[in-house]
């Protein structure tokens, strides 16, 4: 049976890889904003000097498909500076991924007309978040940080005005196609935590979302894409949380190799159960120290669920993913 959504995910990824690469569009930043003034030219950072600029934090941006960074510092006599960082990523998905690592803060809209319903999906129309002097923006292939070193009413207004200038006339693509794999509800009580959805390509980022091990046991790199999110079950006396992970590889061979390595590293004491089908599939369920773990392979994709309270929950969640693959694609 053809998995319609899986086909859509693969087609979207292939199309983006061919046509959605980084297009240089420079936001029209004002020379002066209130009492703050920027230099004529930015400091330009690329993969060769990113660690000189931000030390170890550069790994985060290189974990996505990073092109370059432009930095402007707005200064004013008697005032703390305002820093503008424009991260040019290869695709909109990469910029979204950086925003998805932290959904905290006040939601900000810079659009005069709301995003279309097709663009809202799981994370609603969130394109910018503000808190404690820091504004973070996802604007097409651009991820931006605008930070006031001291938050005052004037600096907050300046930061938000700069954000609006950055986002002006830029496209607002939909979220990554891979997010469509996440059902909002599963069974009678499992609810997706929209504020914990993370999109990524690297095990370093995965470990900030859900720690597995310091090693890259899923063979993640810039050719892969993945989404992780917890589901909460509020039925019963105690809240229960499970962690879901879905990874897409370049082909089924790479997915199988990754699944084999994951099993050897994470489940060395368990025998692996392989089930063959029309689409290459492997599925297994195991009781480990922190609950039940389940996984299933769909062609070049792997679905995994962790910390389930029982085997039935693990099977139901993995089964719902397969149902969602079939139903969402129509």
């Amino acid at each position: 049976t053809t998995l319609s959504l899986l086909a859509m995910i693969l087609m979207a990824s292939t199309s983006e890889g061919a046509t959605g690469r980084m297009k240089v569009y420079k936001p029209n930043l004002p020379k002066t904003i209130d009492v703050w003034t920027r230099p004529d030219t930015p400091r330009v950072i690329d993969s060769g000097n990113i660690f000189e600029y931000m030390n170890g934090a550069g790994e985060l941006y290189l974990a996505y498909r990073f092109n370059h960074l432009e930095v402007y510092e707005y200064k004013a006599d008697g005032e703390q500076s305002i820093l503008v960082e424009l991260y040019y990523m290869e695709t909109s998905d990469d910029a979204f991924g950086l925003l998805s690592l932290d959904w905290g803060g006040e939601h900000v809209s810079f659009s005069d007309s709301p995003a279309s319903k097709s663009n809202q999906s799981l994370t609603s129309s969130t394109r910018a978040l503000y808190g404690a002097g820091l504004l973070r923006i996802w604007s097409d292939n651009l991820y931006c940080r605008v930070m006031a070193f001291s938050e005052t009413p004037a600096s907050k207004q300046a930061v938000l005005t700069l954000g609006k200038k950055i986002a002006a006339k830029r496209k607002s693509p939909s979220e990554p196609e891979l997010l469509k794999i996440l059902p909002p509800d599963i069974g009678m009580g499992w609810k997706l935590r929209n504020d914990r959805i993370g999109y990524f390509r690297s095990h370093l980022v995965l470990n900030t979302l859900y720690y597995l091990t310091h090693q890259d046991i899923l063979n993640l790199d810039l050719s892969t894409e993945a989404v992780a999110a917890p589901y909460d079950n509020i039925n019963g006396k105690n809240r229960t949380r499970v962690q879901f992970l879905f990874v897409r590889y370049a082909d089924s061979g790479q997915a199988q190799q990754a699944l084999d390595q994951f099993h050897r590293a994470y489940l060395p004491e368990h025998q692996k159960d392989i089930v063959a089908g029309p689409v290459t599939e492997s599925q297994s369920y195991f009781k480990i120290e922190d609950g039940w773990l389940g996984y299933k392979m769909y062609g070049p994709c792997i679905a995994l669920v962790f910390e389930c309270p029982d085997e039935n929950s693990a099977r139901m969640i993995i089964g719902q993913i397969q149902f969602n693959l079939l139903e969402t694609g129509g």
Side-chain angles (χ1 to χ4, degrees), residues 96-122:
F96 169 87
L98 288 166
L99 183 68
S100 77
L101 299 183
D102 183 2
W103 292 109
E106 170 191 349
H107 291 225
V108 180
S109 176
F110 297 119
S111 175
D112 294 331
S113 57
S116 66
K117 290 184 178 180
S118 64
N119 280 0
Q120 292 182 13
S121 187
L122 295 174

Side-chain angles (χ1 to χ4, degrees), residues 181 183 185-187 298 315-325:
I181 197 63
D185 303 279
I186 299 177
Y298 307 90
R315 289 184 177 276
M316 179 180 63
I317 292 168
I318 292 292
Q320 180 63 46
I321 297 305
Q322 182 171 10
F323 178 81
N324 204 45
L325 278 166

Side-chain angles (χ1 to χ4, degrees), residues 1 5-6 15 17 29 35 51 58 78 108 114 130 146 156 168 195 237 251-252 285 287-288 321:
T1 303
L5 179 56
L6 182 57
S15 173
L29 290 177
V35 297
F51 294 106
V108 180
Y130 177 85
V146 184
K156 178 178 180 179
D195 61 340
K237 296 180 180 180
D251 55 52
S252 58
Y285 301 90
K287 176 67 169 70
I288 59 177
I321 297 305

Side-chain angles (χ1 to χ4, degrees), residues 58-115:
E59 291 285 1
L60 171 65
Y61 300 97
L62 297 179
Y64 292 90
R65 291 180 294 188
F66 169 79
N67 186 280
H68 72 280
L69 161 65
E70 295 182 1
V71 182
Y72 293 89
E73 185 173 357
Y74 282 80
K75 296 182 178 181
D77 292 337
E79 299 285 350
Q80 293 288 330
S81 296
I82 296 175
L83 190 69
V84 177
E85 296 178 329
L86 305 176
Y87 294 85
Y88 289 87
M89 313 302 291
E90 288 197 17
T91 69
S92 175
D93 286 358
D94 294 293
F96 169 87
L98 288 166
L99 183 68
S100 77
L101 299 183
D102 183 2
W103 292 109
E106 170 191 349
H107 291 225
V108 180
S109 176
F110 297 119
S111 175
D112 294 331
S113 57

Side-chain angles (χ1 to χ4, degrees), residues 38-53:
R38 65 166 175 84
D40 292 331
T41 58
R43 179 179 179 184
V44 179
I45 310 295
D46 59 23
S47 59
N49 62 353
I50 192 169
F51 294 106
E52 297 174 15
Y53 177 69

Side-chain angles (χ1 to χ4, degrees), residues 220-238:
L220 299 175
D221 59 32
L222 295 184
S223 71
T224 61
E225 59 175 337
V227 60
Y231 281 82
D232 285 353
N233 192 319
I234 59 176
N235 291 338
K237 296 180 180 180
N238 300 315

